[in-house]
Amino acid sequence: MHIQFDEASAAKIRQHLVSGNKLLLTFEDGVGPYSQHAMIHMQVQFSINIIGPEMTTQGYDQKITSNIGDILVKGYSLEDLDEHMNIRLNTSHNTLSLSGDSGLIDNNLGFIDFAEANKGPKES
C-alpha cells in the first residue's frame, strides 16, 4: 500500500513533521486516543494526525508508505483503503481529500496536529 501526497498537501503536512513527530491515518470510528468521533453517518471518515515521538501508537499496528514518510494506521481500517492512494489539497477551500484506485474515499480528510502545544489525545 502507498499514499502519494500532491505537492501542496505534502508542504502542508511537512511543516508539522518535526522533531521525530509521527504521521497517522486515523479511521474515525471512535476507537483509540486520536479518533475524534464514531461514524454518525454511513460514510467512511479518516483524518491525518501528527503525534509527538513520546505519544502512544497503541492500536496503530500497520504502516503505509508515502512520499513523505511512513504512515501508521489501525490494521482493520485497511479494508476501507486501496492499494494506491492520493491525498490532495484543495487550495481554494484548504481541505484535503483521499482517493484511491476505486475512486474517492474521503472528500474532507481531517487534519489534527496533536503534537502542538496545548493539544493531546481525547480522554478515554
Side-chain angles (χ1 to χ4, degrees):
M1 237 178 221
H2 182 79
I3 294 178
Q4 185 70 30
F5 288 81
D6 72 1
E7 196 172 306
S9 65
K12 177 181 175 98
I13 303 296
R14 279 190 183 118
Q15 300 177 71
H16 299 268
L17 288 176
V18 296
S19 304
N21 285 353
K22 297 174 188 150
L23 190 57
L24 308 177
L25 179 62
T26 297
F27 181 51
E28 294 292 359
D29 60 353
V31 177
Y34 309 112
S35 183
Q36 297 302 294
H37 55 80
M39 290 188 332
I40 297 169
H41 306 288
M42 295 303 290
Q43 74 263 17
V44 174
Q45 293 178 304
F46 284 91
S47 66
I48 292 287
N49 303 137
I50 306 292
I51 61 170
E54 72 290 344
M55 297 173 78
T56 185
T57 58
Q58 184 176 357
Y60 291 82
D61 55 351
Q62 298 291 317
K63 70 178 172 181
I64 298 173
T65 62
S66 86
N67 58 317
I68 63 172
D70 289 340
I71 304 169
L72 299 174
V73 297
K74 302 173 196 173
Y76 62 84
S77 69
L78 294 175
E79 67 186 50
D80 290 306
L81 300 171
D82 292 336
E83 191 63 31
H84 306 100
M85 294 170 283
N86 297 289
I87 292 180
R88 292 187 173 87
L89 178 66
N90 177 336
T91 54
S92 62
H93 298 297
N94 197 31
T95 56
L96 297 168
S97 66
L98 174 66
S99 62
D101 296 330
S102 62
L104 190 60
I105 298 169
D106 190 337
N107 68 343
N108 193 11
L109 185 66
F111 176 71
I112 303 170
D113 185 345
F114 288 107
E116 281 184 347
N118 302 321
K119 287 194 177 180
K122 69 176 185 174
E123 296 298 321
S124 298

